[in-house]
Amino acid sequence: MAKKETDYSLQGQKGAQKITAPKLNYLPPKPKKYNPNIGLIGCGGITATHLTAYKEAGFNVVALCDINRENAGKRREFFPEARVYTDASEVLKRDDIEVLDIATHPPERVPLLKEALKARKHVLSQKPFVLDLDTGEKLADLADKKGVKLAVNQNGRWAPHFSYIRHAVQQNIIGELLSVHVRVHWDHTWIAGTPFENIHDIIFYDFAIHWFDFVATLLGERRVTRVHASKTRALGQTMKPPLLAQSLIEFEGGQASLVFDAPLPYGPNDTTYVGGTRGSILSTGPNLGEQSVTLYLENGSAKPKLKGSWFPGGFAGTMGELLCAIEENRTPQNNARDNLKSLALCFAAIQASTEGKPQVPGEVRKLPKGAVPNKTKGSR
């Protein structure tokens, strides 16, 4: 008897009918009553997005600090009543400031984080959090000792599509997680001539940390066994750091892959696929801010109409979560200790791409020497 051939054209058509999308609490959190005085230390370019988000959320920024007074002064366009400083110690002395947003570059940030925690200020640290895991653990220990909260500005967590997917996975809507696959194709050559061009692993460390963090939040307590990675310079590339990078993450009973093509001037595209034992989620669009999400389950597919934005909405999410955690006396979801899992994936990928062999997250304790400049000018 001839073997019956499989009709592959009919596969994957389960649940073709349209269903109502589950309502998930994916929007940035906001405290009910708590609205403390906030100080911003480091007033570089990205902080315009921080302050836009804080102003729209109704947060109260009263101090702006940067070693370049002009940078700090410019940020008063968002909070005209805020005082301007060039010395962070003057901000730390203010008893009326309970929360600090520290947004300097990584090498300068650790001493500021230490002093802020010692002054018993709650802190939101810019990402990537630290350059080595041991330092991160010590900072988390210091925060615990001083009885304050230390959170990390992983703003991508509250990008609408990432947040919806995360909540769907955490609420077991698609069953047990089997796969996470991300493809990002865009033009990152804006870093030419900036301090970011001197970061050798700019794609993995400064950009892909959002996706390593995304994977880590989906995995929860699932153990990652190995991380593979590679990086290379694109044909005709003149910029210093490699702009092509990819990583494969093996975890218990599943896998994740991240592919980043950063030298592409035309036709940007961003796609995220998350698959589980009872369903899957696909998010795709021309860029990080314009995403269409589709949820596939056995009884049909749904397209949630998501509100909000990554820029600036995600930044309201990171600060809002910290403020809610203070108000409710709990650990923030974006807490520093938990963020070390994301950095462990990132560091393992960088080491794997450097050595050409897989790494185990947590065993690579710090970035390779020279991966990030020892000193950068000004703030982020």
Side-chain angles (χ1 to χ4, degrees), residues 27-29 53-54 59 153 155 158 312-322 334:
L27 290 171
Y54 299 169
F59 300 154
N153 193 355
N155 43 78
W158 282 275
F315 293 77
T318 54
M319 179 59 79
E321 172 60 17
L322 173 58
N334 53 334

Side-chain angles (χ1 to χ4, degrees), residues 105 188-202 206 233 237-243 370-371 373 376:
H105 285 287
H188 205 63
T189 59
W190 66 267
I191 64 172
T194 73
F196 294 99
E197 189 179 0
N198 295 320
I199 301 176
H200 181 67
D201 286 285
I202 182 69
D206 188 72
R233 293 169 58 82
Q237 179 182 325
T238 58
M239 295 176 57
K240 298 175 185 177
L243 293 179
T376 51

Side-chain angles (χ1 to χ4, degrees), residues 6 14 21 54 69 126 132 146 150 155 161 169 189 196 205 222 231 279 302 309 321 343:
T6 301
K14 275 187 176 182
Y54 299 169
R69 189 176 185 86
Q126 180 59 279
D132 71 80
K146 295 298 180 179
L150 175 58
N155 43 78
H161 64 297
V169 170
T189 59
F196 294 99
Y205 180 67
R222 298 272 287 276
K231 61 194 171 194
S309 62
E321 172 60 17
L343 280 176

Side-chain angles (χ1 to χ4, degrees), residues 20-152:
T20 301
K23 291 184 179 181
L24 303 176
N25 189 24
Y26 67 92
L27 290 171
K30 192 174 179 180
K32 295 176 181 177
K33 295 181 180 180
Y34 183 62
N35 194 14
N37 289 338
I38 298 171
L40 172 64
I41 298 178
C43 295
I46 193 63
T47 60
T49 306
H50 293 223
L51 296 175
T52 297
Y54 299 169
K55 184 176 180 179
E56 290 180 0
F59 300 154
N60 189 31
V61 177
V62 300
L64 301 164
C65 180
D66 196 285
I67 56 174
N68 184 327
R69 189 176 185 86
E70 183 179 358
N71 285 350
K74 286 179 180 178
R75 294 293 173 252
R76 292 186 74 201
E77 66 177 298
F78 300 98
F79 292 90
E81 302 301 317
R83 288 189 60 183
V84 170
Y85 299 86
T86 56
D87 186 349
S89 66
E90 294 299 313
V91 180
L92 297 181
K93 290 177 183 177
R94 287 185 54 172
D95 293 334
D96 64 316
I97 294 178
E98 298 180 46
V99 178
L100 291 175
D101 179 358
I102 300 182
T104 62
H105 285 287
E108 299 90 346
R109 195 161 60 233
V110 170
L112 290 170
L113 291 172
K114 288 180 180 178
E115 292 306 310
L117 296 173
K118 288 178 181 178
R120 287 187 164 83
K121 308 292 186 184
H122 302 288
V123 177
L124 178 66
S125 167
Q126 180 59 279
K127 65 83 195 164
F129 174 36
V130 288
L131 302 177
D132 71 80
L133 302 182
D134 293 335
T135 296
E137 289 178 354
K138 290 177 182 177
L139 287 169
D141 290 342
L142 179 59
D144 292 343
K145 180 180 178 180
K146 295 298 180 179
V148 293
K149 314 292 184 187
L150 175 58
V152 180

Side-chain angles (χ1 to χ4, degrees), residues 179-297:
S179 62
V180 182
H181 300 293
V182 169
R183 304 289 182 270
V184 188
H185 317 282
W186 83 113
D187 185 0
H188 205 63
T189 59
W190 66 267
I191 64 172
T194 73
F196 294 99
E197 189 179 0
N198 295 320
I199 301 176
H200 181 67
D201 286 285
I202 182 69
I203 301 304
F204 275 147
Y205 180 67
D206 188 72
F207 184 78
I209 186 61
H210 290 295
W211 285 267
F212 288 119
D213 185 70
F214 175 62
V215 171
T217 61
L218 298 186
L219 292 181
E221 298 304 316
R222 298 272 287 276
R223 186 173 65 90
V224 176
T225 53
R226 293 193 300 178
V227 176
H228 308 255
S230 67
K231 61 194 171 194
T232 189
R233 293 169 58 82
L235 181 67
Q237 179 182 325
T238 58
M239 295 176 57
K240 298 175 185 177
L243 293 179
L244 301 174
Q246 57 188 341
S247 179
L248 178 64
I249 300 168
E250 300 176 12
F251 60 91
E252 292 177 329
Q255 64 179 3
S257 64
L258 312 176
V259 176
F260 302 97
D261 298 328
L264 305 177
Y266 310 109
N269 181 264
D270 178 280
T271 300
T272 303
Y273 179 90
V274 178
T277 55
R278 296 206 309 269
S280 62
I281 308 175
L282 173 67
S283 182
T284 186
N287 53 55
L288 303 177
E290 302 174 62
Q291 290 284 304
S292 175
V293 175
T294 306
L295 171 66
Y296 297 94
L297 301 172

